[in-house]
Every structure is written in structure tokens, then in C-alpha cells.
Amino acid sequence: MPAITFDPRTSEWDGTLIDKWEPSKWKQWKAKQTDESAKVEREYLRIKQSVQQANAALSLDRIKIKLKLTSPKSIALQGTFPCKPGDVGKQGSPNKQYTISCGFAANDAGVKMAVLKARELDLSLITKQFQWTPELLGKQAQKIELPTQKNSGKLIGELIQEYEREFWKTHEQNRRGIRTWETHYIRHLKKLPYDLPMSAQALEIALEKTKPNTSARFFMVWQLKKFCEFCGIDDFKTIYAYATPKPHPAIRKVPSDEEIIQGFNKIGLPLSVYTSKENTTQPEQWQWAYGMLATYGLRPHELFAVDIEAFLEPKNTFHLVSLNPSLTEGTKTGERSCGIPPLHPHWVDLFKLKNIRFPYNEGKLNNKTAKLYIKFRNADIGFRPYDLRHAYAIRGHRLRVPIKTMADYMGHTVQEHTKSYQRWMNEDTNLEIYKEVVIHRQGTSKEAMKERIHELEAENLALKAENATLRGLLVQHQLGELLS
């Protein structure tokens, strides 16, 4: 039977249908048969296993779009999307589950490309930038009139203004929304020539302003693609030509507890006699801010969202810190699901954190946070404010705090916490944790066992002495009866 027309999904072996066979055991399926059909069937099982593994990895990263082996030769994407033009979800829902065929072949390369596309679509859904394009609609695109020419003739500056208006339809105009627009959108779009119409040349001008294999290039490509989709452009050849993989962050040295205490002393050095004392943050104020970041692993901007009244409450015997996002018009992850504890409780007294000395806090939140970074640099601390947060996370691992609990303390999901902080666990840190958790525990057990053995030996000697005494008394009693 020719392999071209053969459908392996209809195969069975020893009374077992191929789709009932465990894909991970694909090598065992007709292992001794070398005909073409058996090879096709084993390859089908192997790719099926690869799809399962890819979906498991996507689930760990909380990606809701999954791969689906729709035929022995093709892989599609399945997930819940906004309804297609002219379509309606169940009970009038604006969303509906679709299986999207993007032309990925059922081979190793196809699996990799499908995973990348799944991540891309999931990101567009999260940022509310998803749009149905002819690429996603496939044959249905021929029946639907898409607004592909709606922005023809307009200058890029005008298109960006319309893009911003569209952005604010799905985002609140607060500090968080403004920061999102400035950091993830306009930061990249402003590299486009505002006074030109959209074209491949205009895209190249912006892309050339970033270096390959950098985060700037990676996010520039992503944002320009979304902007082009908004403009009704579905030809991304120019953008893809500049595409680069997202680089991994460089491994940095996380400060030890001893270095953190040294930094506390450094940041508290007296100001220069020539420094203007008006509107200036004093050394003891810098120390209090430093101590809070170090003790509670706060993001720098969260320092200004600390609920001071709750922190000083006499009933707060465990020195927990609560955040009030309304003080800063929101924080990165909102309120914590629990109070944040000091993993080194003695630092509360060491850094005198109950003696509130809030930094001089005029200006916008971004300016307040920037002043922290500038002070760390000028005081030659040796690390940045955010590194104190990394140290807090690793401290939790050393103290064997469960990952779920640490994620709650830091305002993360378990997946984000593991992904973000495992990379800071360098060789020295891992060795220290091994010593503390394994060697120290074993040493303690051995010492305790030796002490218990000594106790049992002493108890045994005491029992022997008591037994000898009782025997002596018994002999005396028996002699007394004989004499009487």
C-alpha cells in the first residue's frame, strides 16, 4: 500500500487500535516490521507524542492555546478566540472555541513552528490585540470582507493616534495603563517615521534602530506585527526578515545576607556638607527604604504602596507588610493574597523598620523609583534595588519555604516564580542550599542519634544498678526468714 495515500489512524495491531496505543511507546509498535506502512504508523505515533509533550510545556507556561494533530500530515491550533466575523458563540458569547489550520506539517519543524504560533496568539489574546487575519481565517477569508484597505493613504503618525485610541478602549487610564502604553507600545512605535505612510521602507527604518539578538529587537518585531495587523497589513515578510529569538537575561550575582547588611551601612553614610538639605532624602530615610526592600522583597515601586498603619498595628506581631495599591494607582500584580512576612525577622529590629522614616516622596512614582536606582549607584552599593528582591526569593528557597507560598509572598503564579527565579540560583547558591538542607540535616541527625545512644547507655547502667540493689534486698529478706 503506498505511503502517500495510507492513513495510519485506521491501523491496528494485535487487536489494539493505533490511537489507543501509548504514543511514548511508538518504537514498540510493530517493532520488527520494516515495511513502509509500519514506518508511517510509527512516525505518526512519534509526532503524536511530540504534540503531547509540546502541549504539556504550554500548560506549564499557562498558554491556553494547544496543538492538535488534525491529520497524519498536519498540525492545527485549538483554543478559545473572539468570534469570527459573522459568527456567534454559545448563548451569545463573544468568544468561541476554534481549530485553526495554519499549514504546519506533522513533523519536528512543524511542531516547533506551531508552538511559536501558539505563544504568539496567546500573547495577542492577553494584550487584547487579537484580530482575525486572512492567514488565520484560511478559505473563509475569501467569503469575508476584511478591512484591509481601511488605513490606506494615512500617515504613520495618524495611524498611531488611532492605535492609541483603540488601546484605551480595553485599558484603564491609570498609572498601570499609562506605563503599559509607554513601555510596550509607543516605546517601539516612536521609532517609525511619523510623516510617512506605512510601507516596508518605514518598517525597515524602525527595525534598523535595534540590534539583532536583543530584547529591543524581539519586542520591536512583536509590536510592529500587531501594529501592522491593526493597519490592515497582513504581509509580514519585512518584519520576519528582522525577527530574532528572545535572548535569555544575563545571570547576575545576587547579594548575600552579609553583603546586604554592608549595603545598609553604605547607603546610610552622611551627606556631603555641600548638599542642600531642602527637599533632600536623608541617610536614615534611605536606610529605611533599603531595609524594607531587603526584608520583604518588595518591587521598588511597591515601597510607596506599603500600608504603614497596618504595619505599625500592635496586633501585627509577625511584622507582616500589606500593600495598598490605591496609594500608587495600582501595583504590578495588585494586592497580595496574603501579608508579606520578613524571612529574617531580626532584620526588622536591625534595620529599625518600625521607626518609619519614609523617603522624600515628591514627584511622580516613576521619579521616586528612579531616585532609588540613582542612590544605589552613587553609594556604590554593588547591586541594584531589584536584586534585593531576587535575594528574598532565594532566601525562601534556603529556608525551605514551599514554592507556592513564596509565589504568594512575591505576587507571582507558581510558574512565573519558578521561571523567573530559578535562573538566579547559581552554582554557589545551589551548593550553599545543599549544605544547609542536606549536610546540616544529616549532621544534626547524627548528633541527635549519638546523644540518644548516650542517654540509653546511661539509662541501661542505672537499670543494672537498680536490679543489683533489688537482688541484694531479696537475698537479705530470704536469710532473715531462714534465721527466724
Side-chain angles (χ1 to χ4, degrees):
M1 184 178 294
I4 297 176
T5 59
F6 176 57
D7 187 350
R9 293 177 297 181
T10 62
S11 301
E12 65 175 65
W13 183 50
D14 285 347
T16 303
L17 291 172
I18 192 169
D19 283 329
K20 298 292 184 181
W21 189 267
E22 173 56 44
S24 61
K25 299 178 180 178
W26 61 272
K27 290 183 180 179
Q28 300 175 21
W29 177 270
K30 298 183 181 180
K32 296 181 180 180
Q33 297 185 22
T34 58
D35 58 280
E36 195 65 27
S37 297
K39 292 180 181 178
V40 172
E41 292 164 7
R42 284 195 292 270
E43 179 64 11
Y44 168 72
L45 286 170
R46 189 183 72 81
I47 294 299
K48 191 174 182 180
Q49 183 200 9
S50 297
V51 169
Q52 288 181 354
Q53 291 174 334
N55 285 336
L58 291 171
S59 295
L60 285 175
D61 289 340
R62 304 184 75 181
I63 305 296
K64 295 182 179 180
I65 298 172
K66 299 295 184 290
L67 278 60
K68 183 178 181 181
L69 195 60
T70 53
S71 78
K73 296 181 180 180
S74 62
I75 298 172
L77 300 176
Q78 189 174 63
T80 301
F81 300 89
C83 291
K84 293 180 180 180
D87 201 358
V88 181
K90 293 182 179 179
Q91 299 179 348
S93 172
N95 300 315
K96 188 176 179 180
Q97 188 177 78
Y98 292 101
T99 299
I100 302 175
S101 177
C102 297
F104 298 119
N107 53 34
D108 292 331
V111 171
K112 292 180 180 179
M113 293 298 294
V115 167
L116 292 175
K117 190 66 176 180
R119 292 180 180 277
E120 177 189 322
L121 292 178
D122 186 76
L123 185 60
S124 69
L125 289 171
I126 292 173
T127 56
K128 300 185 184 299
Q129 294 192 26
F130 177 83
Q131 287 185 339
W132 286 106
T133 62
E135 175 194 10
L136 298 177
L137 289 169
K139 295 180 180 179
Q140 189 178 352
Q142 301 173 4
K143 305 175 184 178
I144 299 174
E145 183 179 351
L146 294 174
T148 55
Q149 301 298 324
K150 63 179 181 179
N151 293 311
S152 59
K154 294 183 179 179
L155 299 179
I156 291 176
E158 297 176 281
L159 294 174
I160 291 177
Q161 290 177 356
E162 293 180 7
Y163 191 45
E164 183 177 5
R165 286 194 290 270
E166 194 69 23
F167 172 86
W168 291 118
K169 290 179 182 179
T170 55
H171 293 76
E172 292 186 32
Q173 290 199 14
N174 55 18
R175 188 191 66 83
R176 291 178 65 188
I178 293 172
R179 181 170 177 80
T180 299
W181 169 255
E182 292 178 348
T183 304
H184 300 294
Y185 290 76
I186 196 62
R187 174 187 177 184
H188 306 292
L189 297 178
K190 67 182 181 181
K191 293 182 172 65
L192 289 166
Y194 277 40
D195 55 347
L196 296 177
M198 181 62 81
S199 63
Q201 290 75 18
L203 294 173
E204 286 183 348
I205 290 173
L207 290 162
E208 287 288 349
K209 294 179 181 178
T210 60
K211 295 180 180 179
N213 300 314
T214 60
S215 294
R217 170 67 63 82
F218 176 83
F219 287 109
M220 167 70 82
V221 167
W222 176 78
Q223 185 54 246
L224 287 182
K225 185 174 182 296
K226 297 304 171 187
F227 182 57
C228 287
E229 288 176 351
F230 169 79
C231 297
I233 299 172
D234 54 15
D235 186 359
F236 307 120
K237 291 180 181 178
T238 301
I239 298 176
Y240 286 151
Y242 286 84
T244 186
K246 185 178 180 180
H248 294 291
I251 299 298
R252 70 181 76 167
K253 185 181 184 299
V254 178
S256 65
D257 291 347
E258 294 76 14
E259 290 171 329
I260 290 174
I261 294 173
Q262 293 171 8
F264 177 81
N265 296 326
K266 280 186 178 181
I267 207 168
L269 293 176
L271 296 172
S272 168
V273 294
Y274 301 104
T275 303
S276 171
K277 299 301 184 292
E278 294 183 5
N279 301 334
T280 301
T281 302
Q282 300 299 317
E284 59 272 14
Q285 293 175 300
W286 286 123
Q287 284 187 317
W288 184 83
Y290 180 101
M292 291 295 289
L293 296 178
T295 306
Y296 293 97
L298 302 174
R299 299 179 179 92
H301 75 274
E302 290 175 342
L303 174 68
F304 304 96
V306 171
D307 189 334
I308 300 297
E309 185 176 342
F311 182 55
L312 296 177
E313 175 65 42
K315 296 180 180 178
N316 185 18
T317 54
F318 293 106
H319 312 302
L320 302 181
V321 159
S322 301
L323 300 181
N324 182 0
S326 64
L327 296 175
T328 54
E329 295 186 33
T331 57
K332 184 176 180 180
T333 52
E335 294 185 78
R336 299 283 200 278
S337 59
C338 60
I340 309 169
L343 297 182
H344 283 338
H346 65 280
W347 279 10
V348 176
D349 293 327
L350 178 66
F351 299 150
K352 300 177 182 178
L353 300 182
K354 292 288 185 174
N355 180 16
I356 307 300
R357 294 152 293 166
F358 218 87
Y360 177 72
N361 57 359
E362 290 293 328
K364 294 183 178 180
L365 184 63
N366 288 346
N367 293 336
K368 300 175 190 178
T369 305
K371 289 177 183 177
L372 282 170
Y373 282 87
I374 294 171
K375 179 61 179 178
F376 270 60
R377 185 170 64 249
N378 292 342
D380 194 24
I381 300 297
F383 47 85
R384 299 182 296 180
Y386 218 96
D387 294 337
L388 294 173
R389 179 169 169 82
H390 300 321
Y392 180 86
I394 292 177
R395 191 175 306 128
H397 286 286
R398 287 178 175 169
L399 297 174
R400 285 164 279 173
V401 179
I403 290 179
K404 173 65 172 67
T405 304
M406 279 303 302
D408 290 340
Y409 291 163
M410 303 191 72
H412 288 155
T413 62
V414 173
Q415 291 83 0
E416 181 185 1
H417 181 77
T418 304
K419 181 179 178 181
S420 298
Y421 288 98
Q422 285 297 324
R423 66 172 178 265
W424 306 121
M425 307 284 281
N426 58 29
E427 184 178 351
D428 293 336
T429 302
N430 285 323
L431 182 59
E432 288 177 20
I433 293 175
Y434 173 75
K435 289 178 181 177
E436 293 174 10
V437 177
V438 180
I439 303 299
H440 176 69
R441 181 187 296 172
Q442 288 183 352
T444 303
S445 301
K446 289 178 181 178
E447 293 299 326
M449 189 176 293
K450 287 180 181 178
E451 186 176 348
R452 181 58 179 159
I453 290 171
H454 289 315
E455 290 176 359
L456 291 173
E457 289 176 346
E459 186 177 345
N460 190 35
L461 290 173
L463 289 172
K464 285 181 178 180
E466 185 179 352
N467 190 33
T469 302
L470 291 173
R471 283 183 178 179
L473 292 173
L474 179 60
V475 170
Q476 289 179 6
H477 178 69
Q478 289 174 344
L479 287 173
E481 286 185 348
L482 289 174
L483 292 174
S484 63

